[in-house]
Amino acid sequence: ERPVTSLLKRETIEVPLIARTKRSALGRLVEVANATWQIYMPDDVLNAVLEREDAMSTAMEGGVAIPHLRIPLPDALGVSMIAFGRTAN
């Protein structure tokens, strides 16, 4: 297994994350991750994350969420990664 720290890079962190809605936050996180050139199909990734959130939210107490794909999209992603964002509110 790969430690989480190997998946989180400086270029995939955005603080503050400029977003006011759940949809805009997820979209912005995909954009941040896409800046690494490791997301080949960002629209497909965002749609998969939104589908996962619609099926079962990853939100937890305290305003934290860990959105992710339910089903892998090997043609859409180059490498596994974590995008992190924190909104001002």
Side-chain angles (χ1 to χ4, degrees):
E1 290 187 36
R2 296 171 56 182
V4 170
T5 55
S6 71
L7 301 175
L8 183 62
K9 305 293 182 200
R10 181 171 296 222
E11 60 268 17
T12 60
I13 298 172
E14 185 167 283
V15 176
L17 183 75
I18 307 302
R20 292 185 179 202
T21 65
K22 178 179 178 177
R23 168 69 169 80
S24 65
L26 294 172
R28 185 63 194 139
L29 286 172
V30 170
E31 289 174 13
V32 169
N34 190 39
T36 66
W37 301 102
Q38 289 299 316
I39 295 185
Y40 310 133
M41 299 157 61
D43 291 338
D44 291 351
V45 171
L46 178 57
N47 287 333
V49 170
L50 291 170
E51 286 175 15
R52 166 67 173 98
E53 287 295 312
D54 285 344
M56 178 181 253
S57 176
T58 63
M60 297 181 278
E61 193 173 320
V64 174
I66 305 175
H68 59 281
L69 307 177
R70 186 173 66 88
I71 299 171
L73 296 174
D75 294 337
L77 300 168
V79 297
S80 294
M81 70 175 73
I82 295 173
F84 174 84
R86 182 169 188 243
T87 62
N89 59 354

